[in-house]
Amino acid sequence: MHDINYLKKELIEGINGYMKISRRDVEGDYSEMVGGASYRNGLSNATWDTRFNSIGIYLEKNCEKFNLLYIKMDRGIWRAPLILDRDNGVLYIFSSTENLKIVTKKIKNGNRTHYIYLLTLYCEDGEVEQLELIEDEMREMRAKKIMGDDISLVKKVAVIHYSYLNGIPIDGTISFLDNTGNERLAIKIDDYLDEKQENMPEMLDTPSNLEVKSAPLVKWNPKNTEEKQKKGNV
């Protein structure tokens, strides 16, 4: 059993509603904007943009209420929101389940520059050999490029993620990561919101074994050049 009473259920409930925005919710406006429904090459990105922008509007209205720091992360060719709860040190990241699996696999295979790995710097220790001091210093420097000195406030990283089956959100989960970027604990969002604020059981496996086409995690930045795209860390 794991104590998660430090989480703010009202905050998670508010954010969760926007993570459930589907392609069906967006496609009407998107088709009108692009002049038809024959080609939808940008619909996935438009759906993520709608989720992220909706979360951003919600945060701008509720940051003071929940004592949050709202960070607009800019990684060059894409942007995404981060939320730091100042009261408990929880940093929230948003993803699809499929993309999170890809990222954590990359980290296990030695990717030490992905932002999720960088931002778990001060999380609970995972099962890994002690890194050399120079590598820790480089990791901290890169993390500060994303969050500044506020990275020192991050004690836990929670990834809120869904599988999007044909664009429909299923199996919402909150995954807590250790300082190696690996999943330490996972809880079902619906179970958490339905239960009273008390201990929740650990889930050993990452949810959803369905083969689903991964929806893009990020908002593309059209101002960047092709050269910057090649240098970007996806």
Side-chain angles (χ1 to χ4, degrees), residues 49-151:
D49 287 351
T50 303
R51 292 176 189 135
F52 285 169
N53 286 326
S54 299
I55 289 172
I57 293 171
Y58 174 80
L59 293 175
E60 288 171 354
K61 293 179 180 179
N62 291 281
C63 273
E64 185 174 350
K65 174 182 179 180
F66 293 114
N67 194 23
L68 306 174
L69 177 63
Y70 170 33
I71 301 163
K72 300 175 183 177
M73 180 174 59
D74 190 338
R75 295 290 280 169
I77 62 172
W78 53 266
R79 303 174 185 136
L82 302 172
I83 306 172
L84 176 62
D85 189 329
R86 291 187 176 99
D87 291 330
N88 53 35
V90 176
L91 179 71
Y92 294 96
I93 296 174
F94 308 97
S95 177
S96 70
T97 300
E98 295 71 36
N99 194 72
L100 180 61
K101 288 180 179 180
I102 292 171
V103 168
T104 53
K105 183 177 180 179
K106 286 182 178 179
I107 293 173
K108 288 179 181 179
N109 290 336
N111 185 328
R112 296 291 185 264
T113 60
H114 195 280
Y115 77 90
I116 286 183
Y117 175 76
L118 299 177
L119 296 179
T120 58
L121 175 63
Y122 296 118
C123 293
E124 296 177 78
D125 290 341
E127 297 181 2
V128 66
E129 294 181 4
Q130 183 68 34
L131 297 175
E132 295 182 4
L133 179 60
I134 188 170
E135 186 172 346
D136 278 339
E137 290 176 348
M138 182 65 69
R139 183 180 182 184
E140 182 180 37
M141 181 184 71
R142 289 171 171 167
K144 283 185 174 181
K145 287 184 178 180
I146 301 173
M147 292 189 59
D149 291 336
D150 292 317
I151 185 62

Side-chain angles (χ1 to χ4, degrees), residues 2-224:
H2 294 264
D3 182 9
I4 57 171
N5 289 338
Y6 55 85
L7 296 179
K8 297 172 182 175
K9 182 170 288 190
E10 185 180 353
L11 170 63
I12 293 175
E13 186 173 19
I15 295 170
N16 186 54
Y18 300 118
M19 284 296 285
K20 287 185 173 182
I21 291 174
S22 69
R23 293 183 186 181
R24 293 179 182 178
D25 298 321
V26 176
E27 61 184 355
D29 290 338
Y30 175 80
S31 296
E32 183 177 350
M33 180 183 70
V34 300
S38 297
Y39 302 99
R40 300 183 179 186
N41 296 317
L43 181 56
S44 291
N45 283 340
T47 304
W48 275 106
D49 287 351
T50 303
R51 292 176 189 135
F52 285 169
N53 286 326
S54 299
I55 289 172
I57 293 171
Y58 174 80
L59 293 175
E60 288 171 354
K61 293 179 180 179
N62 291 281
C63 273
E64 185 174 350
K65 174 182 179 180
F66 293 114
N67 194 23
L68 306 174
L69 177 63
Y70 170 33
I71 301 163
K72 300 175 183 177
M73 180 174 59
D74 190 338
R75 295 290 280 169
I77 62 172
W78 53 266
R79 303 174 185 136
L82 302 172
I83 306 172
L84 176 62
D85 189 329
R86 291 187 176 99
D87 291 330
N88 53 35
V90 176
L91 179 71
Y92 294 96
I93 296 174
F94 308 97
S95 177
S96 70
T97 300
E98 295 71 36
N99 194 72
L100 180 61
K101 288 180 179 180
I102 292 171
V103 168
T104 53
K105 183 177 180 179
K106 286 182 178 179
I107 293 173
K108 288 179 181 179
N109 290 336
N111 185 328
R112 296 291 185 264
T113 60
H114 195 280
Y115 77 90
I116 286 183
Y117 175 76
L118 299 177
L119 296 179
T120 58
L121 175 63
Y122 296 118
C123 293
E124 296 177 78
D125 290 341
E127 297 181 2
V128 66
E129 294 181 4
Q130 183 68 34
L131 297 175
E132 295 182 4
L133 179 60
I134 188 170
E135 186 172 346
D136 278 339
E137 290 176 348
M138 182 65 69
R139 183 180 182 184
E140 182 180 37
M141 181 184 71
R142 289 171 171 167
K144 283 185 174 181
K145 287 184 178 180
I146 301 173
M147 292 189 59
D149 291 336
D150 292 317
I151 185 62
S152 64
L153 303 177
V154 178
K155 305 305 178 186
K156 298 180 185 294
V157 169
V159 184
I160 296 179
H161 57 98
Y162 274 85
S163 284
Y164 294 95
L165 180 62
N166 297 322
I168 305 301
I170 60 172
D171 219 5
T173 304
I174 306 175
S175 291
F176 297 87
L177 307 182
D178 61 28
N179 69 345
T180 69
N182 290 320
E183 184 182 84
R184 189 178 188 92
L185 167 70
I187 59 175
K188 298 281 190 178
I189 295 176
D190 286 345
D191 290 345
Y192 168 70
L193 294 178
D194 288 342
E195 292 293 326
K196 294 181 180 180
Q197 194 81 343
E198 54 190 24
N199 290 346
M200 294 284 290
E202 180 175 6
M203 291 166 48
L204 298 180
D205 298 322
T206 301
S208 182
N209 292 320
L210 297 174
E211 293 184 3
V212 186
K213 184 177 181 181
S214 177
L217 170 62
V218 301
K219 174 178 179 179
W220 290 99
N221 186 345
K223 294 183 179 181
N224 285 273

